[in-house]
Amino acid sequence: MKTFTNVNARDLRQAVARSADARQSGQAASFAGGGSDLLALMKERIVRPDVIVSLKPIKGLDQLTPGGGGITIGGLITLDALSRDARIHRQYAVLAEAAASVATPQIRNVGTLAGNLCQRPWCWYYRNGFPCLKAGGSQCFSVSGENQFHAIFGGGPSYIVHPSDTAPALVALDATFRIVGPSGEREVPAADFFVLPRQNAAAENVLANDELLASVHVPTAAGGMRSMYEKVLDREAWTHAVVSAAVVLRMDGQTCRDARVVLGGVAPIPWRLPEVERLLTGQRITEEVAARAGELAVAGARPLAKNGYKVPLTNALVRRTVLELARRA
Amino acid sequence: MKNRLSLRVYNGTFRYRFPHFAGDTMSTRRRSTDPPGLSRRDFLETTAATVVVAAAAAPAIDGQALAGAPTLVQPDPAVPRSAIRVTLNGTARRLDVEDRWTLAELLRDHLGLTGTKIGCDRGECGACTVLMDGKPVYSCSQLAAWADGCSIETVEGVAKKDGLEALQRAFVAHDGPQCGFCTSGQLMSALALHRVNARPTVEDARAAMVGNLCRCGNYNRYVEATVGHSLSPSRDAAANPRSLGGGGQSASPVATASAALSLLHTVGHPTPKIDGVERVTGQATYTGDVKLPGMLYARVLRSPHAHARIRSIDVSKARAMPGVKAVLTRENCEVVWGAGAIAGGQQYNDDIKRITKQRRYAFNNPVRFVGDPVAAVAAVNRHVAEEALLQILVDYEVLPFVLEPEEALAPNAVKIWPEGNLALNVRNEAQPNVQTRGNVGNGLAAAERTFEDRFTTAFEHNAQMEPRVAVATWEGEKLTVYTPTGGIANCRHDIARDLGLPDDRVRVVCQYMGGNFGNKNQNQDADLIAAMLAKEAGAPVKLELSRKEDFIGMHGRWPTIQYYTVGTTSAGTLQAIQLRAYSGMGPYRKNTGNIGGIDLYQCPNIETVVTPVYTNKTVSGNLRGPEYPQGFYGIQSMMDDVASKLKMDPVEFILKNMTRLARNEVPYTNYTLEECIRRGAEIFEWKKRWRQDPGSGRGPVKRGAGVSFMAFRSELGRSSAVIRLDASGQYTVFVGVTDVGGGAKTTMALIAAEALGVPLSQVTVVWGDTDRCPYSVGESGSRTTIMTGDAVIEAARDLRKQIAEKGPPKGAEMLVASATPTPRVEGKVRSAFGAHFVEVEVDVELGRARVVKYVAVHDSGRIINPLAAASQIKGGAAMGIGMALHEDLRYDRQTGRPLTTGFYYDRIPTHRDVPDIEVVFIESDDGLGPYGAKSVGESGKALSPAAIANAVSNAIGRRMKDLPITRDRILGALA
C-alpha cells in the first residue's frame, strides 16, 4: 500500500469535512466503514488515497431506529448485526437474507450496510488492475474477453455487474437512501442511487466527491407482505451472486396485490423487473404464472459471448423464487 | 500471562525445540551405510547450532513489555503514526503504530504474535482470523489504527494457564491441523462459535468456519473437532479392535477391514500428531515467522507481459531510495534456476539439468509469461521494498504470445524458444512422450466396437495456504536458507548447485510448512533470489510472495487436451486404447507433462502420444499426483461412457477390464483392487444410487453416482535415518522430513517406537534441518512413509543390536545408529489400490452440482496412523472437488494476463463444498515396506475428479468432457 494518513471521524459532518479538506489540498481521500474492500483495492494500488477517513469511531450510526413510517437503518450497522436483527427478519426477510448471504462471518462482522451498497465491482478485469472504464480507462475488457460473470442487462459501455446483495433487497423494499455531503443532506430513492455505466461509466452510484451514504430508510411493511432473497453462488459459499433475486410480494390470500422483483448479478445496477411486477399484480401465483414471470424476466436479456447461461438461470430463479414465496404460509 | 510469555520469547532469543546433546562421550560409529553429510563431526558441530530469532523492528510498544528491544530500523518520520489502546489477549496495551500497518502486520511483525498467519492478505482465506471484541475478523483487512479501543484475541491467548483450551485439545485429537497453516484461523472461528453455542450442529460448524479455507482439505476434521464427534459411521470397529483407539486419544473412528495383519503395539493405532500442540497454539514456526536480527524484506518485480524482450532496466531511482539495500536484475545476477526448467522435466537428475538447453534464470530476458521475475529489491521493510519496485523503469519490447497448446503447435505460431514450442525431452530433442504396447492400429481394426472422444482439463493451482517465502542469511561463506520445502536434502543440493557452492556450505531449514502438493522437493527461485539479495546487501533477507504472485509466479497442474480412441469386443472387453494428447507447460519445462491412467486397464494394444507444449501461461508443474487426476478423469470418463454405450454397469466394466498385471505383464506384489471396488460398491450401495438410465431423475434436482479406481505406485527406495539413545532412555530419531501436512514426524515416531519396542513417549523426532538431519528422499511421490520409514526400522534394528551388545548407555554416553537402506522389489510392481464412489446432486435449472455422498476405499497396505492417513484421503478428495467443479486459471486472450488469481476467483473449496468423506482402509500385507505400509498422500486426489465427473454425467445424462464442470458447462450441456 502507498503511505497514507488515517483520520478518525467523530461524526458525519467531521468525516465529510476531513474528506473535503484533503481533496482541497490536492490529496485523494477515501472513507472506510468496515474497510475490508478499501484495503484490498489499496493493496492492489487500484485505489490510492493519501487520507483514509475512518468512520469506525462514529457513534450511533449502527442503529435501527423506528419512525417516519418505517425503520431507519444506520449505514454503519454491520451486515452481521443486520442479518440477525429480529425486526428485520420479521418484516424485511429479504434484507436479512441478503445481508446473511454476503461473503463470510469475518467480513460480515466488520462490513457495513453502506459499504456493501457502495463496494466497487468485483469484475476480474477491474480487480486485476486492468486500465478499464471503472479504473478511469477507456475500454471494458470483458466485452470481447472473459465475460462469464458479466451483465446480461443494462451493459455498455461497461459490463460489470453490481456486486451488492443488499442493494436488490433495498430496491425491492422501496427504500430511501440519505446522503450526507459538504453541502448538506439529500435523499434519493434506492433505485435512483445506482447509475448505469451509460450515465457514468466510472462510478456505480450518485455519490459525489466527499459524499457519504449515511442511512437507509425502509417503509413499514404493508399487511400481507412477505419477501425473500435467493442467491446463486459460484461455489457453496463466499462468492458474489452469479444471479440473485430479491422478491417482495404483498399477498391477499392467494392473490398478489403488489410485487417487487429485483435481480442481482445480472446488470451494472440492481435490475428491477417492472413488467414481471405488473404481471404478478392481481394474479393468483400459480405455476403457470410463475413460469410466465420467469420468461418475462429474461425477455430483454442481451447476453455476451460467454454468459448466455445466465438467461435460463435467471428465468428459473425468478420462477422458483416467486412460486416459493407465494406458497409460504 | 500467555501473552507475556510469547513476548519474552520474541524479545530474547528463541531456540528451536531441538534436543541438544553433548558429543564428547558420544558412542558412535560410522558405518558404510551412513548417509553422506552426516558424521560424528556434524553431530558435534550442530550441538552449538541454535537459531536465533530476535526482534528486528522498531519497538512499537509501550515501555513495559519490550524495553530494550533492539532497534535496527528507526521509525520514518514521514510515515504517519497513530497512538492506539487495545486489550490484547486480556492485557491493556498502549501502542504506537504506523497508519499503514494492518492489524495482522502489527501482531506478526511488531508484537511477535506469529500464530496469526497471512495466507492471502486480501480477506479471502481466513488464516489471519483473530477475534475483535469477541467476533472473528480478518486481521489482514483491518488497519492496526482501526483497532483502537478494541479487544483483540489471538491464538496465543487461547490456552489457559493450566493447559490447552478444550477446543484446542479437540483440534489435536481429531487431527484438525494437517499442514497447520490455517489452524489458528479455524480455531478462532470455532472458538467464537463455541462461546455462543456450546453444542453446535455440523451445519453450525460449517457456517462458522466457512470463511476459513483449508487447502489440505481437512474440513471434515475441523468440523468433527468443533462438534465433538466423528462424521463418518464407524465400520467394522468390533471386527477390528485396532480402530478403536488403542494408543491414540482420538474420538474419530477410522474404518479398517483386515483380519490378515497382526496387531502391533504402536503402529496402526490412531494417533494425534506429536506436534499437534504447537500447531493449535500458534507456536509452530513457519518460514514466514522467522525473523533474524537486521533482516531486510524483499519484493520481486514481475513481467506484466506474456512475452516481451527487455530493452533496458533502469534501477537507479530504486537504488537511491532511502532504505533500499540491494537491487538485482539479470544485469547483475545471472544465476540459473536449475530446477525451474529441465529437459524432459526430469526433476532429480543433475546430469540432465546440466545439459538442458532451454535454461531458466532467476531473472529472464526475454520474459515469457506474466509473472516472470524481472528484478528484486531488498529494503529495510516491506513497504519500502514495494515502493522501490514502482521506481524500477523497464523498457519492454512486447512480443506476440500464445496461450493454448494446440495453437502453439500451429506452423505460424510465435516461437517461445528458438527450437519451437514442442518441449524438449531428456536429450534436448523436440519429441512427444510416447508409450506403446502391442499394435494399436491392428487392435482398433479388429475391434467390434470403437469409440472416440475428447476431454480437457484446466490449469489447477497448488494454492497451498502458505504463500511462498524464503529467508536467507550468510555467516561468512555459509548460507542458511529457511524455506517451505518438503525435501530439505534436495533443496539444499539444488541451491548449492545453482549458486556454485559445495553442498556443505548450504544449510536448509524448514520446521513447519503450510502445505506442499508438489514441486517442493527442490529449490524455488525465491530461495536463490533471497540468497543473492542477502549476499548483495550483507544482511539476512526475507522474500515473501503475495498470494497473487504465488498464483502467477509459481506453478500448477498442466492443462491437458486428451483425444481417445477405444476399441472393444461387443461384449465389452478392451482391445485397444489410443491417446493423443497435449499438455500446456507454460514457457519452461519444469515437469514431464505426462498423462497417466491408461495402465489402469488390461489391454493388449495401447499407444499414447502426449505432447508437452510451451505456452505463454504460468509454468506448469507437479501438483499432487502429477499426471494422474487429469489422466484418470480423461480415461475413466471415456470408459464410463463406453460402458454406458455398451449398456454395461460401469462397475462391471471396470471389473472386466481393470489391470490385473502391471502394464499388462508384471505381477503386483499383492493385489486387492477387486476387493476395493466390491467393498466400496457395497458400502456406497452402488446398485441403488447409480442410474441405469442417466439423467432420469425426476424434477430439477437430479442425483447420480460415479466411480473411479486406481493402482498407485508404492515403490521402495533409498532414504536415511539416524537414531540416538541417551542414558535417560530417550530415543531421538533424526530424519530429513519436514511434515508437509501428512504427519510424517508422527509416522516416523510411531515406526521408531514400534521398531524399538518402546512407548511413543520415549521417542523424540528431529526434523527439517540439513545440518542436523540425514539425507531424506523428500516428501513427494507419496513415498516418505515407505522409504524413510524403512530407514528408521533398519536404524532401530541396529540400535537394538548395539544395546544388546554394549548394554544401555550410562552417564554422558550415547548409542547412535544410522541406516540408508536401498530396498528393491525384483520382477514385481508394488502398488496401492483404491476406488472412490461419489453421489452428486445437480440442479439442472440452476446448474449447481454438489457432492452429497462420498465413499473412498483404499488399500495402502498397513496403515501406520489411521487417523492421519484417513485425513490424507479426505483432503485429497476435497481438493479433487475443487478440480472437478471450479478451479481454472483463466486468461484474458487479448492481453495474456491471468484473471483468476487468488482464492476468491479460483473458487478453492470451502467448508460448505466438502461433505463427509467416508474413508475405508483395506489393509493387506505384501511383506514389504515398513510393516507393510504403502503410499497414501496423492491417491485420494487422483481418484476424486473422475468419480465426480462420472457422477455428474450419470445425474444429468450428458457426458461432461471438460474440467472444471462449471455452471455454464452444465447448463450449456443441457441447453
Side-chain angles (χ1 to χ4, degrees):
Chain A
M1 285 187 288
K2 154 182 184 311
T3 301
F4 57 86
T5 303
N6 180 69
V7 173
N8 289 323
R10 274 193 318 275
D11 54 39
L12 282 177
R13 242 185 51 199
Q14 197 192 35
V16 167
R18 286 303 186 93
S19 174
D21 291 349
R23 208 172 300 278
Q24 272 156 28
S25 62
Q27 294 183 306
S30 293
F31 294 113
S36 307
D37 195 30
L38 176 65
L39 289 192
L41 291 168
M42 286 171 63
K43 288 171 185 172
E44 295 291 339
R45 294 181 188 253
I46 295 166
V47 175
R48 293 180 295 273
D50 302 295
V51 174
I52 291 181
V53 180
S54 170
L55 310 177
K56 286 174 188 273
I58 297 178
K59 299 269 187 290
L61 211 61
D62 58 353
Q63 302 296 309
L64 294 160
T65 317
I71 192 163
T72 298
I73 308 170
L76 293 181
I77 191 170
T78 66
L79 295 166
D80 181 67
L82 184 63
S83 72
R84 290 175 192 277
D85 186 87
R87 283 165 297 182
I88 298 293
H89 260 285
R90 211 165 40 240
Q91 296 181 51
Y92 312 107
V94 64
L95 181 58
E97 289 168 13
S101 80
V102 174
T104 66
Q106 288 93 326
I107 288 177
R108 294 195 295 275
N109 284 335
V110 294
T112 64
L113 176 62
N116 183 261
L117 292 165
C118 297
Q119 71 186 298
R120 298 307 314 273
W122 278 77
C123 166
W124 44 32
Y125 287 99
Y126 173 66
R127 295 267 165 175
N128 273 302
F130 281 70
C132 70
L133 287 165
K134 290 293 172 189
S138 58
Q139 73 173 111
C140 175
F141 290 83
S142 78
V143 184
S144 53
E146 296 299 303
N147 49 41
Q148 285 85 342
F149 295 102
H150 289 75
I152 58 171
F153 296 107
S158 164
Y159 288 83
I160 63 120
V161 293
H162 199 276
S164 172
D165 287 302
T166 55
L170 288 169
V171 172
L173 290 169
D174 291 333
T176 304
F177 290 4
R178 182 169 69 101
I179 296 167
V180 173
S183 49
E185 295 187 18
R186 60 189 175 123
E187 291 195 343
V188 296
D192 296 343
F193 180 76
F194 303 99
V195 297
L196 283 168
R198 69 177 70 102
Q199 294 165 260
N200 182 353
E204 294 79 54
N205 56 54
V206 297
L207 288 179
N209 282 342
D210 313 320
E211 279 193 329
L212 271 171
L213 174 55
S215 62
V216 167
H217 181 80
V218 189
T220 305
M225 192 186 102
R226 59 182 75 162
S227 66
M228 69 183 282
Y229 186 71
E230 272 292 297
K231 175 176 176 180
V232 174
L233 296 99
D234 196 42
R235 57 183 168 185
E236 291 297 311
W238 199 0
T239 73
H240 290 78
V242 179
V243 178
S244 66
V247 180
V248 180
L249 300 178
R250 187 159 60 80
M251 300 297 288
D252 179 3
Q254 298 293 300
T255 309
C256 173
R257 293 294 173 205
D258 198 6
R260 291 287 181 280
V261 181
V262 183
L263 302 177
V266 293
I269 57 171
W271 194 252
R272 192 170 162 189
L273 298 169
E275 297 85 355
V276 174
E277 293 169 2
R278 275 196 294 278
L279 168 80
L280 297 175
T281 304
Q283 295 269 4
R284 276 193 76 206
I285 310 294
T286 59
E287 281 192 22
E288 198 217 336
V289 168
R292 269 165 47 213
E295 293 292 334
L296 200 53
V298 295
R302 297 276 177 276
L304 300 162
K306 297 182 176 180
N307 65 2
Y309 73 96
K310 280 192 177 184
V311 176
L313 173 57
T314 303
N315 181 336
L317 189 70
V318 168
R319 169 172 52 79
R320 284 158 59 157
T321 309
V322 164
L323 197 61
E324 186 186 332
L325 185 60
R327 282 179 173 173
R328 274 186 192 171
Chain B
M1 191 62 212
K2 190 70 195 164
N3 181 38
R4 287 274 180 96
L5 181 69
S6 51
L7 279 172
R8 274 208 302 275
V9 168
Y10 162 80
N11 192 20
T13 57
F14 167 55
R15 288 171 172 230
Y16 276 103
R17 286 184 204 78
F18 287 137
H20 294 273
F21 45 85
D24 294 352
T25 55
M26 184 165 63
S27 167
T28 180
R29 63 200 174 97
R30 191 164 170 87
R31 307 173 345 151
S32 58
T33 51
D34 275 358
L38 192 93
S39 62
R40 183 166 176 276
R41 193 176 60 89
D42 293 317
F43 275 99
L44 297 175
E45 281 183 356
T46 53
T47 307
T50 57
V51 181
V52 178
V53 180
I61 301 118
D62 46 343
Q64 50 167 5
L66 264 188
T71 302
L72 298 172
V73 182
Q74 292 302 327
D76 181 345
V79 177
R81 301 176 78 90
S82 297
I84 62 169
R85 289 166 184 272
V86 294
T87 303
L88 183 57
N89 291 329
T91 305
R93 309 291 297 276
R94 285 179 294 112
L95 305 170
D96 179 34
V97 301
E98 290 188 5
D99 284 2
R100 64 189 179 185
W101 288 349
T102 64
L103 178 55
E105 199 174 345
L106 168 68
L107 295 169
R108 288 180 50 79
D109 289 358
H110 306 288
L111 299 176
L113 298 174
T114 54
T116 299
K117 304 301 179 195
I118 295 180
C120 68
D121 203 30
R122 295 293 185 279
E124 296 180 5
C125 81
C128 68
T129 301
V130 301
L131 303 190
M132 185 182 257
D133 294 335
K135 293 191 165 190
V137 304
Y138 296 135
S139 63
C140 77
S141 297
Q142 293 297 305
L143 292 181
W146 296 343
D148 189 24
C150 294
S151 157
I152 305 294
E153 294 169 75
T154 72
V155 66
E156 289 88 350
V158 174
K160 304 287 182 297
K161 252 182 264 179
D162 53 350
L164 297 186
E165 224 265 349
L167 194 59
Q168 287 174 309
R169 289 200 303 272
F171 265 50
V172 175
H174 286 272
D175 201 37
Q178 281 196 27
C179 81
F181 199 79
C182 74
T183 302
S184 302
Q186 306 273 1
L187 183 81
M188 298 315 283
S189 289
L191 189 67
L193 171 68
H194 269 223
R195 284 183 186 166
V196 295
N197 181 355
R199 297 183 58 82
T201 63
V202 166
E203 193 35 50
D204 293 337
R206 287 188 175 136
M209 293 189 285
V210 77
N212 296 90
L213 298 182
C214 171
R215 187 55 166 173
C216 297
N218 219 24
Y219 293 122
N220 283 185
R221 299 305 199 193
Y222 284 123
V223 170
E224 288 174 344
T226 304
V227 301
H229 60 79
S230 167
L231 299 179
S232 295
S234 175
R235 294 187 193 279
D236 296 337
N240 185 0
R242 298 196 304 106
S243 64
L244 284 177
Q249 307 151 27
S250 169
S252 301
V254 173
T256 59
S258 173
L261 289 176
S262 57
L263 230 75
L264 298 177
H265 288 100
T266 312
V267 158
H269 300 280
T271 308
K273 291 195 170 74
I274 58 172
D275 56 354
V277 172
E278 281 80 357
R279 292 179 196 259
V280 300
T281 53
Q283 300 304 312
T285 308
Y286 294 76
T287 302
D289 306 335
V290 172
K291 195 168 182 178
L292 305 175
M295 188 177 80
L296 304 172
Y297 290 82
R299 284 285 186 271
V300 173
L301 182 70
R302 295 175 184 277
S303 168
H305 301 293
H307 197 193
R309 190 173 305 282
I310 297 170
R311 292 196 192 95
S312 65
I313 305 181
D314 180 357
V315 299
S316 55
K317 276 169 109 175
R319 214 184 275 282
M321 280 175 64
V324 170
K325 302 295 184 188
V327 182
L328 293 180
T329 69
R330 178 66 178 272
E331 282 166 21
N332 61 350
C333 178
E334 286 242 325
V335 168
V336 172
W337 178 20
I342 316 147
Q346 296 298 319
Q347 274 296 338
Y348 306 112
N349 189 322
D350 269 353
D351 292 336
I352 296 174
K353 282 175 190 158
R354 199 173 307 118
I355 61 123
T356 295
K357 211 175 189 177
Q358 297 165 335
R359 290 187 190 287
R360 184 175 184 183
Y361 292 81
F363 305 100
N364 293 286
N365 187 10
V367 285
R368 301 179 178 92
F369 68 103
V370 174
D372 218 345
V374 169
V377 170
V380 290
N381 64 47
R382 57 170 73 86
H383 299 280
V384 174
E386 246 174 58
E387 289 291 336
L389 292 190
L390 300 176
Q391 300 301 322
I392 297 176
L393 305 174
V394 187
D395 181 11
Y396 293 101
E397 177 194 348
V398 178
L399 303 172
F401 61 86
V402 62
L403 299 177
E404 303 304 329
E406 286 175 301
E407 292 170 18
L409 290 178
N412 57 348
V414 58
K415 283 185 177 180
I416 297 167
W417 290 94
E419 297 81 12
N421 295 337
L422 204 169
L424 302 188
N425 68 10
V426 293
R427 293 177 299 279
N428 280 320
E429 303 155 347
Q431 293 291 331
N433 313 337
V434 179
Q435 183 197 349
T436 56
R437 174 163 74 230
N439 184 316
V440 87
N442 293 350
L444 286 173
E448 290 162 317
R449 302 282 305 269
T450 57
F451 307 86
E452 282 183 21
D453 224 325
R454 174 185 189 263
F455 295 87
T456 71
T457 63
F459 183 103
E460 177 201 11
H461 199 276
N462 289 29
Q464 74 296 330
M465 295 306 297
E466 176 191 39
R468 300 298 203 296
V469 55
V471 179
T473 182
W474 295 82
E475 288 152 274
E477 291 302 304
K478 176 133 188 185
L479 169 66
T480 299
V481 180
Y482 303 82
T483 185
T485 176
I488 51 171
N490 289 327
C491 182
R492 169 172 88 155
H493 178 67
D494 279 348
I495 292 172
R497 183 199 56 237
D498 290 347
L499 296 180
L501 298 169
D503 280 14
D504 63 7
R505 290 243 306 277
V506 178
R507 177 186 182 199
V508 168
V509 181
C510 178
Q511 285 299 288
Y512 288 87
M513 68 187 282
N516 179 349
F517 312 129
N519 275 125
K520 283 196 170 179
N521 193 359
Q522 60 262 134
N523 69 350
Q524 304 294 325
D525 55 354
D527 304 334
L528 300 172
I529 294 171
M532 296 306 294
L533 284 169
K535 187 91 181 167
E536 178 92 357
V541 167
K542 178 191 281 185
L543 170 57
E544 299 165 305
L545 269 62
S546 70
R547 174 54 55 187
K548 188 171 184 173
E549 284 181 280
D550 196 282
F551 258 70
I552 65 171
M554 301 312 295
H555 63 266
R557 184 182 308 287
W558 44 87
T560 67
I561 304 151
Q562 309 173 29
Y563 297 88
Y564 289 98
T565 307
V566 171
T568 69
T569 65
S570 51
T573 300
L574 284 173
Q575 301 293 305
I577 310 172
Q578 185 180 44
L579 168 65
R580 183 165 51 89
Y582 304 91
S583 295
M585 303 310 293
Y588 305 101
R589 191 168 192 185
K590 191 159 169 50
N591 294 99
T592 65
N594 275 342
I595 295 173
I598 281 188
D599 284 338
L600 295 174
Y601 295 90
Q602 199 76 11
C603 182
N605 305 297
I606 65 148
E607 180 185 282
T608 71
V609 180
V610 177
T611 307
V613 186
Y614 294 128
T615 66
N616 292 110
K617 284 187 180 179
T618 284
V619 179
S620 293
N622 290 344
L623 201 186
R624 205 168 192 174
E627 65 262 43
Y628 300 112
Q630 66 272 47
F632 285 13
Y633 156 74
I635 187 84
Q636 298 202 42
S637 291
M638 182 74 202
M639 294 303 181
D640 197 75
D641 206 46
V642 168
S644 177
K645 285 170 176 156
L646 290 168
K647 305 282 177 217
M648 288 177 72
D649 180 327
V651 169
E652 296 306 319
F653 183 89
I654 291 168
L655 290 170
K656 189 180 189 113
N657 287 298
M658 66 190 181
T659 173
R660 296 189 186 262
L661 294 171
R663 302 185 298 276
N664 240 42
E665 57 188 28
V666 189
Y668 292 104
T669 55
N670 68 349
Y671 181 81
T672 56
L673 180 53
E674 184 161 344
E675 196 182 341
C676 290
I677 292 167
R678 292 196 187 279
R679 190 77 213 280
E682 176 196 333
I683 292 169
F684 178 79
E685 300 173 299
W686 170 259
K687 288 283 182 197
K688 194 179 99 188
R689 297 178 194 277
W690 175 71
R691 291 186 178 277
Q692 200 160 5
D693 185 9
S696 60
R698 286 207 194 130
V701 180
K702 298 181 189 301
R703 288 198 168 201
V707 57
S708 64
F709 72 102
M710 63 149 205
F712 201 91
R713 54 177 150 69
S714 293
E715 291 140 17
L716 307 177
R718 173 173 169 267
S719 197
S720 307
V722 175
I723 308 179
R724 192 196 70 210
L725 171 63
D726 64 28
S728 73
Q730 193 66 21
Y731 293 84
T732 307
V733 179
F734 297 82
V735 276
V737 304
T738 52
D739 197 346
V740 302
K745 295 169 202 168
T746 309
T747 304
M748 295 309 137
L750 288 168
I751 291 173
E754 188 70 47
L756 291 162
V758 301
L760 190 59
S761 57
Q762 261 174 266
V763 176
T764 307
V765 179
V766 172
W767 69 82
D769 183 343
T770 53
D771 271 11
R772 323 209 69 203
C773 304
Y775 168 80
S776 161
V777 64
E779 284 171 76
S780 64
S782 305
R783 59 195 178 183
T784 291
T785 297
I786 302 172
M787 298 187 188
T788 307
D790 265 338
V792 168
I793 291 178
E794 191 164 319
R797 198 176 293 139
D798 178 30
L799 192 61
R800 289 183 82 158
K801 210 170 119 207
Q802 289 188 47
I803 297 167
E805 286 168 4
K806 302 173 189 169
K810 296 182 196 67
E813 287 175 8
M814 293 190 184
L815 292 179
V816 176
S818 73
T820 306
T822 312
R824 270 175 210 279
V825 186
E826 299 291 349
K828 289 187 175 181
V829 167
R830 190 162 194 264
S831 184
F833 302 99
H836 284 202
F837 293 82
V838 173
E839 185 171 31
V840 297
E841 193 179 85
V842 184
D843 186 324
V844 297
E845 292 180 348
L846 304 184
R848 176 198 196 197
R850 204 161 64 89
V851 179
V852 293
K853 185 173 177 65
Y854 205 118
V855 174
V857 181
H858 284 254
D859 179 0
S860 291
R862 185 190 295 271
I863 300 301
I864 304 292
N865 183 0
L867 185 62
S871 300
Q872 282 296 291
I873 302 297
K874 284 168 176 277
M879 219 177 166
I881 292 173
M883 178 178 169
L885 300 180
H886 295 296
E887 295 171 37
D888 183 357
L889 188 61
R890 297 177 201 227
Y891 277 74
D892 176 57
R893 283 182 65 89
Q894 302 163 79
T895 59
R897 289 170 61 179
L899 298 173
T900 50
T901 53
F903 294 126
Y904 171 83
Y905 286 116
D906 205 35
R907 314 301 198 214
I908 303 299
T910 71
H911 266 283
R912 282 221 177 102
D913 292 87
V914 179
D916 172 38
I917 291 155
E918 188 184 342
V919 180
V920 178
F921 287 119
I922 292 171
E923 298 184 69
S924 69
D925 189 1
D926 67 352
L928 300 165
Y931 303 106
K934 290 181 178 176
S935 59
V936 176
E938 294 160 294
S939 53
K941 173 66 184 283
L943 286 174
S944 171
I948 294 167
N950 286 338
V952 172
S953 297
N954 187 238
I956 69 174
R958 302 280 193 283
R959 182 58 49 187
M960 299 314 291
K961 298 178 185 177
D962 305 284
L963 291 191
I965 305 170
T966 48
R967 181 182 310 278
D968 54 327
R969 284 176 170 157
I970 291 171
L971 292 174
L974 291 162

